[in-house]
Amino acid sequence: MPQPVLSLENLLFRWPDQAAACLDIADFQVAADEQVFIHGESGSGKSTLLNLIAGVLTPQRGNIAALGQPLSALSAAARDRFRVDHIGLIFQQFNLIPYLSVLDNVLLPCRFSARRSQRAGDPKTAAATLLQHLDLDASLWRRPATQLSVGQQQRVAAARALIGQPEIVIADEPTSALDAARQTAFLDLLRRECAAANAALLFVSHDLRLAEGFGRRVEMGQINRATTA
Amino acid sequence: MTHLLPLALKSAWNRRYTLGLTLIAIALSVTLLLGIERVRQDARDSFAQAVSGTDLVVGARSSPLQLLLYAVFRIGEASNNIGWDSAQALVAHPAVAWTIPLSLGDSHRSFPVLGTTPAYFEHFLYGDKQALKLAQGKRFVGLFDVVLGAEVAERLGYHLGDKITLAHGISEDGPEHGDKPFSVVGILARTGTPVDRTLHIGLEALEAIHLDWQGGAPIPGFAIPPELVKKFNLTPKSVTAVLVGLNTRAGVFAMQRYVANYRDEPLMAVLPGVALSQLWEMMAIAERALLAISALVVVVSFAGLVAVVLAGLGERRRELAILRANGARPRDLLTLLALEGGAVTLAGALVGLMLLTLLTAVLGPWLEAQYGLLLKLALPSVEELRLLGWVVLVGTLASLLPGYRAYRLSLADGLTPRV
């Protein structure tokens, strides 16, 4: 097996004000190009897991390695840099900075990451290409992000997660604010673009109906041994 | 930092209404701060401009400051007069080049009347040793001639040939010397000094209008018509003060001692510069108090800024989380918020400066007319720029507080704000 883009080993995380562990994961790996559907009810520790992988939280025990780099070896600021260099994130909703235009929102990672900016080639052209691929008309690009519909906003967020070709894209319930028809359309677009960018996709949702088409499906309950969750 | 500045500006623009109000508060406080500084500076300048080339001011022994304020600036209490003999003794002194006797006490519609001699037009200098110039007409020659300061003529709308009567005392409703009208023969060019607010007449004229007066009121049943006054001896018996010019400045202290030791009556000679610096020392306390108060007002406006930005942070937690998810470090967020506050402060300071310039242009003429205070429409002075620099610095530092709060919030929230 080639080196995994993401590897969690013997991981234990407990919130400081709680007695019991929130996450206890023996082993979890994601290979490059893999598209993984992680299923879990709310409160199953999904958000905590995302914060750990993104390097915002640090585990009490165990290792997280992304692209072979142990996150625990990095300082907090270096983890912030590492995150923007290698991980694209999409959240449930309100992904966009309200006072920035659609285009500026997409370009945000390039503003903070020289690597993403460089891999995008000309960031503005890259952003334009992505927005076009995600069916966002050029007439919308200069508008403030808040003028867009929720579905459009999620597609802008997807474009932002993909710009500059990060190795990992993490999506946390990105379709929960969309109706069923748009959910499928969005998922198709997201999976297609991740595949095109050779990015591993971690898709987290409580909705099993969306799991169709993913190469691998993981239950939070399977990988998380902590019972409190 | 440079990649954060556009973000900070856009973020500030997004909340332009609340921040705009804060900006106005900062601008007004900056206007106050700079306004006080400017009034202070210009008041000093216009005081220092009022008299130059005069080596000594001689008057009855009292407070040097009181004598200077009354004789040169027409401010404050009348001092005792000095005898005409003493004034003549000064004229005769070998070290003395010229003297200008000054006699004050009467007024015209609350503008002071100064009795003096033609020497006033020869020797009185102001500003940078500039002599008085007549804008129209001539010096007083006839007994009942009056030469007006520029401000008097302009405010009261007087022209050459107009007849005016003087009032006894300095209050507006004092008894009038109605039987002896004066005619306007000259109007002086503007000087920006108390001269502009003064009516000038001859010492003899002052004597003449008081011939039939005693104790501040006309003697009942005794009136001397103007055509007969020349039959009387119009040599003044006393004057308020004498401005003295010496042949050489080096003799000034010897002359001062001579005056102080004068036998016939208690006299005092004041160096204008020394008395003025006494004035500054006295005013410095009030000036510092005013500056301190306006600095406090600035601080209050910064408290408003900090409160507004802090209050906005609650609803911006998601925005901070998005920025974090896209690579902003917590310290970037601190910088972002500080930049935002700094930008508002800088804009407030600039608007304040513009407001002050506007106010100076609009209110300047009124201030000059009302208070004789000459406000210059000028580029900000070094002192003002330094104050502005402090304002911006303190505002940016104050903005570190919401910045630090954003830093803490983003550390606590991570990518998923609990809102």
Side-chain angles (χ1 to χ4, degrees):
Chain A
M1 182 174 167
Q3 189 190 36
V5 287
L6 192 65
S7 152
L8 280 62
E9 271 171 36
N10 197 20
L11 185 81
L12 184 83
F13 179 81
R14 183 173 53 81
W15 287 105
D17 50 355
Q18 285 173 7
C22 171
L23 280 178
D24 181 358
I25 298 175
D27 180 47
F28 176 63
Q29 296 194 339
V30 177
D33 303 356
E34 202 174 11
Q35 300 195 336
V36 185
F37 183 93
I38 301 178
H39 177 244
E41 299 305 323
S42 58
S44 60
K46 288 178 297 179
S47 295
T48 310
L49 180 63
L50 292 187
N51 275 298
L52 281 164
I53 294 172
V56 173
L57 295 175
T58 45
Q60 275 80 17
R61 194 192 68 201
N63 286 320
I64 305 172
L67 307 162
Q69 167 70 54
L71 293 185
S72 57
L74 299 173
S75 69
R79 286 200 303 273
D80 286 321
R81 185 98 323 153
F82 186 84
R83 169 173 64 252
V84 66
D85 279 348
H86 303 286
I87 302 176
L89 287 152
I90 312 168
F91 296 106
Q92 202 163 347
Q93 53 179 338
F94 309 120
N95 271 291
L96 307 183
I97 305 278
Y99 52 81
L100 294 182
S101 71
V102 166
L103 201 59
D104 281 340
N105 262 293
V106 175
L107 290 171
L108 208 52
C110 297
R111 204 185 269 279
F112 286 102
S113 163
R115 183 176 190 269
R116 293 275 288 272
S117 182
Q118 193 199 338
R119 279 164 70 100
D122 174 25
K124 283 197 175 160
T125 318
T129 312
L130 278 166
L131 286 170
Q132 262 161 1
H133 282 199
L134 289 160
D135 287 337
L136 285 158
D137 192 75
S139 63
L140 299 171
W141 299 353
R142 298 275 163 204
R143 294 226 195 133
T146 43
Q147 285 185 8
L148 271 60
S149 73
V150 180
Q152 287 168 330
Q153 289 191 23
Q154 292 304 84
R155 277 179 275 154
V156 175
R160 184 177 61 197
L162 287 161
I163 194 168
Q165 297 170 318
E167 287 85 347
I168 306 169
V169 171
I170 298 176
D172 181 12
E173 303 267 16
T175 59
S176 63
L178 307 179
D179 55 52
R182 292 185 182 279
Q183 280 183 342
T184 326
F186 178 81
L187 256 181
D188 290 344
L189 278 175
L190 182 64
R191 284 214 312 272
R192 189 186 76 201
E193 289 304 314
C194 283
N198 295 321
L201 172 64
L202 253 70
F203 190 96
V204 184
S205 176
H206 69 282
D207 190 350
L208 267 177
R209 286 172 304 169
L210 302 172
E212 207 175 315
F214 278 89
R216 178 175 162 205
R217 188 195 300 179
V218 175
E219 285 292 328
M220 262 320 267
Q222 279 174 9
I223 57 169
N224 186 10
R225 296 179 303 193
T227 48
T228 53
Chain B
M1 188 108 119
T2 45
H3 63 287
L4 289 174
L5 190 59
L7 268 185
L9 293 180
K10 280 176 180 161
S11 165
W13 179 248
N14 181 47
R15 281 164 303 109
R16 55 191 173 278
Y17 297 111
T18 41
L19 285 183
L21 287 176
T22 321
L23 192 150
I24 289 170
I26 293 173
L28 287 176
S29 67
V30 165
T31 307
L32 181 70
L33 183 73
L34 291 187
I36 284 172
E37 171 62 21
R38 189 166 289 188
V39 166
R40 185 180 82 95
Q41 208 57 47
D42 286 357
R44 283 193 174 208
D45 285 352
S46 60
F47 263 82
Q49 294 274 306
V51 59
S52 85
T54 295
D55 294 311
L56 288 168
V57 182
V58 178
R61 200 171 291 165
S62 64
S63 136
L65 193 51
Q66 189 193 342
L67 176 66
L68 185 82
L69 285 178
Y70 189 64
V72 177
F73 299 103
R74 333 266 188 258
I75 295 172
E77 302 284 314
S79 49
N80 278 329
N81 277 8
I82 61 174
W84 184 245
D85 295 344
S86 310
Q88 288 310 109
L90 288 171
V91 177
H93 193 280
V96 171
W98 50 263
T99 63
I100 302 171
L102 306 173
S103 198
L104 290 153
D106 280 3
S107 66
H108 175 74
R109 299 186 53 187
S110 79
F111 287 107
V113 171
L114 173 69
T116 184
T117 63
Y120 183 79
F121 300 103
E122 305 258 346
H123 298 300
F124 185 83
L125 301 176
Y126 69 95
D128 193 16
K129 303 225 161 152
Q130 291 158 275
L132 296 175
K133 278 201 279 289
L134 280 156
Q136 301 173 48
K138 55 185 176 68
R139 301 169 181 181
F140 49 76
V141 182
L143 189 55
F144 293 110
D145 285 353
V146 59
V147 172
L148 305 181
E151 186 64 36
V152 181
E154 192 184 303
R155 279 276 298 282
L156 303 179
Y158 288 154
H159 303 284
L160 295 182
D162 285 354
K163 297 278 181 198
I164 61 174
T165 59
L166 307 184
H168 193 75
I170 47 170
S171 63
E172 187 125 15
D173 48 0
E176 292 269 330
H177 298 288
D179 59 334
K180 301 185 181 68
F182 283 73
S183 56
V184 177
V185 298
I187 294 170
L188 289 168
R190 193 171 279 275
T191 63
T193 73
V195 171
D196 294 349
R197 302 171 44 79
T198 305
L199 297 88
H200 307 83
I201 63 173
L203 279 175
E204 297 78 12
L206 207 55
E207 201 62 29
I209 58 176
H210 291 102
L211 272 179
D212 44 10
W213 282 51
Q214 200 170 44
I219 303 167
F222 178 63
I224 301 166
E227 53 278 13
L228 290 181
V229 293
K230 286 190 180 160
K231 300 196 183 301
F232 291 81
N233 177 11
L234 294 179
T235 308
K237 287 159 200 70
S238 67
V239 292
T240 308
V242 180
L243 303 184
V244 176
L246 300 177
N247 290 319
T248 61
R249 280 224 58 155
V252 71
F253 293 110
M255 189 65 198
Q256 197 177 24
R257 266 198 307 282
Y258 165 78
V259 172
N261 297 329
Y262 190 72
R263 291 277 173 84
D264 294 355
E265 62 176 321
L267 294 183
M268 172 181 70
V270 177
L271 282 84
V274 173
L276 271 180
S277 60
Q278 274 185 6
L279 180 65
W280 301 148
E281 272 170 38
M282 270 173 52
M283 298 220 317
I285 301 165
E287 288 172 353
R288 274 201 290 272
L290 273 177
L291 268 182
I293 289 169
S294 55
L296 273 181
V297 173
V298 173
V299 168
V300 169
S301 68
F302 283 146
L305 172 70
V306 170
V308 162
V309 178
L310 269 182
L313 270 187
E315 37 194 282
R316 294 174 69 190
R317 285 173 82 160
R318 187 162 302 270
E319 176 191 326
L320 297 178
I322 297 168
L323 286 172
R324 255 213 95 197
N326 286 284
R329 292 162 295 178
R331 75 171 105 124
D332 289 331
L333 300 179
L334 189 149
T335 313
L336 187 74
L337 271 282
L339 278 177
E340 202 176 298
V344 173
T345 307
L346 186 67
L350 291 179
V351 171
L353 188 62
M354 281 176 351
L355 201 60
L356 179 68
T357 312
L358 195 73
L359 280 177
T360 313
V362 174
L363 291 184
W366 178 78
L367 272 178
E368 190 185 348
Q370 208 69 22
Y371 300 105
L373 184 65
L374 195 62
L375 279 191
K376 286 194 288 283
L377 199 58
L379 289 173
S381 66
V382 177
E383 189 58 36
E384 286 170 22
L385 286 179
R386 188 154 54 197
L387 278 176
L388 275 181
W390 275 109
V391 166
V392 175
L393 182 70
V394 172
T396 311
L397 286 180
S399 304
L400 285 178
L401 197 64
Y404 179 70
R405 173 93 181 121
Y407 177 88
R408 301 294 311 172
L409 276 178
S410 74
L411 279 182
D413 284 351
L415 306 176
T416 41
R418 287 173 285 270
V419 277

